[in-house]
Amino acid sequence: MKAIFASTLLAAGLAALVPYAAAQEKVLNLYSARHYDTDQALYNDFTQRTGIKINRIEAGDEALLERLRTEGRNSPADVLMVVDAARLWKAQIEGLFQPVKSAVLESRIPAHLRGKDDGAGSEWFAFSKRARVIVYNKANVAPALVQNYQDLARPELKGKVCTRSGAHPYMLSLIGAMSEHLGEQKAEEWARGVVGNFARRPRGGDTDQIKAVATGECGVALTNTYYLARLMRSNKPEDKDVVAKVGMIWPNQKSWGTHINISGAGVAKHAPNRAAAVQFLEYLASNSAQIYFSNGNNEWPVVASVNARNPALEAMGPFKADTLSLASVGRAQVNATRIIDRSGWR
Ligand code: FE
């Protein structure tokens, strides 16, 4: 116990030295939950343009948040980058971000893709978008049956619906958005209907759902677009076979639009290099960075004037996206958690 205490003190002491050293060298400490090779090229480009070196700490979202909590005011983190509004919101309510007021970010990133703003600026900004779509087995399910998220509760789909666990942030965000649109009670009834239609207990990630739809184990499932795009761009025969058997639907085109989510980032609460951190976020909103950043994971840019020309995304065609604010989607995960507990969506 004593040894742990001593090493914690030591770590805190070392961390406290970092801001001073960092200010001398022009560095930026980036805590990122993204892990795509293309991101590295982007960071190199930023360093070339600004002379600011990026120290990147990569880990899963939860591990990064835990690290920030533990480090507290001694944290060397300047920017925290995570995936999904549910996680950004979590970091926000835990006070891990600080507000940023930037004319560049405000003009380039739409308001519904930014975090809480109490007048001092937004606590986080989206830098790429993904959509959560319905996939169906072309041989077993008529696409007319599944044009909306609400349809996943239809009695005709008994024993055909697959999803990952409702407790995963991607599902929490979608269920949270449903609760914003329908009201919590109606959203809960819907969730019970979906659970009643399960082909199997929730398990696996989005790619597993797509593959299970292709084999026919599931008739319909939900996935983020980039998992499907990845399969569409794959040269492996087994992936091509999966793509051939599966159809995709943009849900809710006649109502509020397809649920979208984001990768986003904000300036860490105790950022020792705040100016560099803001500069980095502004860089991520630039045309070239937007193309690189979004294409790295087959996502869409958030800056409306930028077209990333991603072949898989272009093949999916245009769609109407839900414009519900991602800040409220994040907040609604409190309702979503209640809904999955009551409906048994685990
Ligand atoms: Fe993912």
Side-chain angles (χ1 to χ4, degrees), residues 134-144 146 160 210 212-216 218-221 228 240-249:
I134 294 174
V135 285
Y136 63 95
N137 182 298
K138 285 184 191 167
N140 298 341
V141 173
V146 279
K160 291 194 166 161
I210 302 172
V213 167
T215 64
C218 313
V220 293
L228 190 57
K240 286 179 186 293
D241 188 50
V242 166
V243 171
K245 290 188 168 124
V246 165
M248 190 202 99
I249 283 160

Side-chain angles (χ1 to χ4, degrees), residues 71-343:
E71 291 170 340
R73 58 178 59 251
N74 293 316
S75 177
D78 293 306
V79 170
L80 170 67
M81 183 182 285
V82 292
V83 160
D84 202 280
R87 287 169 173 138
L88 286 161
W89 179 82
K90 205 166 169 196
Q92 176 192 299
I93 57 157
E94 290 188 28
L96 299 175
F97 291 126
Q98 59 173 291
V100 169
K101 201 146 191 78
S102 152
V104 172
L105 293 173
E106 274 172 34
S107 71
R108 296 191 55 88
I109 300 174
H112 72 277
L113 301 178
R114 299 185 224 136
K116 185 183 81 169
D117 186 344
D118 289 339
S122 299
E123 300 222 349
W124 49 261
F125 302 85
F127 291 102
S128 64
K129 281 188 294 193
R130 65 280 297 277
R132 200 147 180 80
V133 296
I134 294 174
V135 285
Y136 63 95
N137 182 298
K138 285 184 191 167
N140 298 341
V141 173
L145 275 179
V146 279
Q147 292 296 309
N148 306 287
Y149 297 114
Q150 297 94 304
D151 293 333
L152 297 175
R154 287 172 85 127
E156 297 97 315
L157 293 177
K158 186 108 195 141
K160 291 194 166 161
V161 177
C162 288
T163 77
R164 69 195 302 162
S165 168
H168 189 276
Y170 300 164
M171 293 307 310
L172 284 177
S173 287
L174 174 64
I175 296 167
M178 292 300 280
S179 142
E180 290 289 293
H181 287 298
L182 300 171
E184 186 174 346
Q185 202 192 326
K186 281 261 180 324
E188 187 181 327
E189 282 165 28
W190 167 74
R192 283 182 198 283
V194 178
V195 171
N197 282 344
F198 278 170
R200 62 180 191 188
R201 298 292 306 162
R203 66 162 187 267
D206 286 2
T207 303
D208 299 309
Q209 314 307 320
I210 302 172
K211 288 181 174 171
V213 167
T215 64
E217 184 186 358
C218 313
V220 293
L222 290 163
T223 181
N224 281 353
T225 33
Y226 57 87
Y227 293 108
L228 190 57
R230 213 176 277 166
L231 291 171
M232 288 165 75
R233 297 184 75 172
S234 167
N235 289 319
K236 291 184 192 159
E238 63 269 31
D239 291 341
K240 286 179 186 293
D241 188 50
V242 166
V243 171
K245 290 188 168 124
V246 165
M248 190 202 99
I249 283 160
W250 295 115
N252 295 67
Q253 293 302 284
K254 291 191 175 141
S255 55
W256 56 75
T258 299
H259 173 70
I260 60 160
N261 216 305
I262 51 172
S263 283
V267 175
K269 174 82 174 183
H270 303 289
N273 307 291
R274 188 180 195 279
V278 174
Q279 211 177 334
F280 179 67
L281 296 189
E282 290 176 345
Y283 167 77
L284 286 181
S286 68
N287 286 0
S288 61
Q290 275 287 289
I291 290 171
Y292 238 91
F293 190 82
S294 57
N295 264 341
N297 186 35
N298 296 304
E299 295 179 80
W300 289 274
V302 291
V303 176
S305 58
V306 176
N307 185 339
R309 301 233 160 274
N310 180 303
L313 298 185
E314 288 195 338
M316 290 178 186
F319 68 103
K320 176 182 172 184
D322 190 355
T323 55
L324 182 67
S325 113
L326 268 291
S328 59
V329 170
R331 207 181 315 123
Q333 73 178 295
V334 176
N335 293 8
T337 304
R338 257 195 311 265
I339 291 171
I340 62 161
D341 283 344
R342 290 186 190 141
S343 63

